[in-house]
Amino acid sequence: MTSRSLRAISIAALVLPAALVLASCSGGDGDGDGTTASASATAGVVGRPVTQTCDELVPADTFSVYGQRFDRVRSPKPTKGSPVAQIAAQDGRVCTWRSTTDDSVTVTVAVAHLPQEQLTQLEDALFEQGGSVPTYTVEGYFSLAGRTGRADAFADRSWIHTSSSLYTEPGTAQPVVDAVRAAVAPDTTAPSGSPTP
């Protein structure tokens, strides 16, 4: 049994969404607009603020591979208990874009800078659930629930999370994961043969 498996066994959230690992150290569900944690949620915050703006995390041309134009939603509202809400509560950055041609299509990105201990717990929980994606360059995972794909990557003490109905496989999330990773951890580079949608 690997050391990662042994660590993961000690985590109570193995079969729960990985965001619940942070529940004991977060102070709330964010302030509703999803950009950063509210003042009332800072008591248990272990993350440090994400300084990059949404446009810096995901430049507009990133979406060109999907054949659609997207406008940013100015007040995204994370679902209570979701990974996005947990990231917002950890002083993270939450960004959502909506397709200009189909209102039902959105892309959400959330980033938190966390201590290594919390990142390791999240990585271990996702590792146990499977779906490892080596092409994300850093430790990364993909899962599909219904019609929504979810990608998580860990780079330079950052938890990168993105979800969208556009993500039908790991490769369709890759352009967004690559853009965010380049913004928060520019020293890591995408592999030369990165898949595109």
Side-chain angles (χ1 to χ4, degrees):
M1 185 174 287
T2 67
S3 61
R4 163 150 288 170
S5 296
L6 291 172
R7 283 196 315 265
I9 289 170
S10 67
I11 298 170
L14 284 179
V15 296
L16 299 174
L20 295 181
V21 174
L22 286 175
S24 63
C25 60
S26 68
D29 294 316
D31 60 4
D33 74 0
T35 53
T36 58
S38 67
S40 64
T42 57
V45 172
V46 296
R48 60 182 171 83
V50 174
T51 59
Q52 292 89 350
T53 66
C54 293
D55 292 335
E56 289 170 335
L57 290 171
V58 186
D61 62 356
T62 304
F63 297 116
S64 63
V65 297
Y66 300 112
Q68 300 181 47
R69 267 196 66 244
F70 286 82
D71 288 335
R72 191 155 65 84
V73 176
R74 296 297 170 176
S75 297
K77 302 207 178 333
T79 303
K80 185 176 180 178
S82 69
V84 176
Q86 292 295 327
I87 286 172
Q90 293 301 318
D91 240 349
R93 175 81 62 202
V94 175
C95 312
T96 298
W97 292 265
R98 186 177 306 282
S99 170
T100 58
T101 56
D102 184 349
D103 280 354
S104 69
V105 176
T106 60
V107 174
T108 296
V109 168
V111 180
H113 296 310
L114 298 170
Q116 190 59 53
E117 181 181 354
Q118 278 74 29
L119 289 175
T120 299
Q121 290 177 344
L122 288 163
E123 290 167 352
D124 287 348
L126 286 167
F127 177 80
E128 287 299 315
Q129 292 173 18
S132 178
V133 184
T135 58
Y136 289 172
T137 300
V138 294
E139 186 163 353
Y141 300 91
F142 180 84
S143 62
L144 194 59
R147 299 179 63 179
T148 301
R150 165 186 173 170
D152 295 275
F154 300 90
D156 193 23
R157 302 239 174 146
S158 296
W159 174 21
I160 300 166
H161 170 87
T162 182
S163 60
S164 177
S165 59
L166 291 173
Y167 303 157
T168 56
E169 59 183 4
T172 52
Q174 180 115 26
V176 174
V177 172
D178 285 349
V180 179
R181 191 195 61 245
V184 299
D187 292 338
T188 61
T189 58
S192 57
S194 291
T196 54

